[in-house]
Amino acid sequence: MAVRPITVIGHKALHAPTKKVREITDEVRTLVDDMFDTMAAAEGVGLAANQVGVRLRLFVYDCPVPGEDNARGVVVNPALERLGTPAPLDEEDGEGCLSVPGEWFPLARHPRARVTGTDLDGREVVVEGEGLLARCLQHETDHLDGYLYLDKLTGPVKAEAREAVKDRGWAADGIVKWDPSATTADEV
């Protein structure tokens, strides 16, 4: 198992829809193990395959759930169902992303979400959650569809995010990946 570099906003892999996983191979199993290691090193709660430069439709998650153990697993070929109506934003509705390291912006999400897919053994997986878990399921599935959470921002927040990304200078400096085993998100 290894920590893989994480792609940063501007990398083409983040804006291309992923491909359906047709077969669970040893390479896919290694990818998933590496993704868990990478997510832990980066202190994230979810990670999509294209965030480590692999265009396969799968993500891993390890998300805190109030009053319970963390929700943790892998979903292969997920399909997302958004449940409920997004509420007006409040301070707790901020969202971050390992591919936009060190930044945090408010984004309204559906209060509940359900993802269906399979695990690495081909068994059906259904993950349903609310709060942070619902946000995580929506966020990671968006990645697999070629969208970053910044793409969904509106109004002044969208302009603020554009300015923050520009100020970071990732694309201008040729930075397309960061190594979470060597740096923190704030150092990128």
Side-chain angles (χ1 to χ4, degrees):
M1 295 185 279
V3 173
R4 295 186 183 204
I6 297 174
T7 56
V8 176
I9 185 170
H11 192 288
K12 66 181 179 179
L14 296 174
H15 292 289
T18 53
K19 298 176 182 177
K20 184 176 181 177
V21 177
R22 303 240 179 251
E23 179 182 3
I24 302 298
T25 62
D26 288 343
E27 290 80 16
V28 170
R29 289 179 187 281
T30 298
L31 169 66
V32 169
D33 287 342
D34 290 354
M35 288 173 63
F36 274 113
D37 287 349
T38 303
M39 179 178 59
E43 299 179 358
V45 298
L47 186 67
N50 56 343
Q51 288 183 275
V52 292
V54 179
R55 286 188 57 202
L56 289 178
R57 191 166 183 81
L58 65 88
F59 70 82
V60 299
Y61 62 98
D62 190 354
C63 190
V65 177
E68 299 179 26
D69 291 336
N70 279 13
R72 178 181 165 90
V74 57
V75 184
V76 178
N77 299 325
L80 174 67
E81 196 178 342
R82 292 171 176 90
L83 305 168
T85 303
L89 290 172
D90 66 32
E91 289 181 26
E92 295 180 12
D93 291 325
E95 193 162 321
C97 179
L98 297 177
S99 291
V100 188
E103 298 298 335
W104 187 266
F105 297 99
L107 176 63
R109 292 278 192 180
H110 292 263
R112 294 184 358 261
R114 179 183 306 123
V115 169
T116 56
T118 62
D119 65 14
L120 293 177
D121 295 318
R123 293 183 298 246
E124 182 182 33
V125 170
V126 178
V127 184
E128 187 169 335
E130 57 186 36
L132 181 59
L133 181 55
R135 184 174 292 278
C136 176
L137 297 174
Q138 293 169 78
H139 181 109
E140 299 312 325
T141 306
D142 282 349
H143 272 302
L144 300 177
D145 292 336
Y147 297 101
L148 291 170
Y149 85 106
L150 299 183
D151 299 329
K152 296 181 175 272
L153 298 176
T154 59
V157 175
K158 186 174 192 96
E160 181 184 342
R162 279 192 194 133
E163 192 63 31
V165 169
K166 182 180 171 187
D167 288 349
R168 292 281 189 154
W170 294 312
D173 293 340
I175 297 171
V176 294
K177 295 182 180 184
W178 70 282
D179 181 352
S181 66
T183 59
T184 67
D186 291 329
E187 294 172 329
V188 178

